[in-house]
Amino acid sequence: MKVGDKVLISPDLTRLSQWISGTVIEVEDNPFVGIVISAETEDKDVYFGQEDLFKPQTEEICLP
């Protein structure tokens, strides 16, 4: 993943009921925990965590 990529953010990180979309704003190679991703949602919330808590968004999501 790289800065600017669209990603889905895990409910384990957001404490919401489903995956939400965001944009990668930082990728850090942390020597203690590995790759750490920071992503910002449309409403400007920022979530960060280990790489496995994010997955690439491969298609547009239509929310009701």
Side-chain angles (χ1 to χ4, degrees):
M1 282 183 230
K2 63 185 182 310
V3 173
D5 283 355
K6 297 289 186 188
V7 293
L8 295 174
I9 307 167
S10 171
D12 292 336
L13 191 57
T14 64
R15 303 287 187 228
L16 299 172
S17 61
Q18 60 189 13
W19 290 73
I20 60 171
S21 62
T23 304
V24 175
I25 58 172
E26 184 178 359
V27 178
E28 176 190 349
D29 188 4
N30 185 301
F32 300 104
V33 295
I35 302 294
V36 175
I37 305 291
S38 297
E40 183 176 49
T41 62
E42 284 185 11
D43 55 358
K44 304 298 181 199
D45 289 333
V46 175
Y47 296 96
F48 62 94
Q50 292 179 326
E51 190 174 26
D52 63 341
L53 295 171
F54 300 86
K55 61 184 176 182
Q57 182 176 333
T58 55
E59 58 189 57
E60 279 299 313
I61 296 176
C62 295
L63 299 175

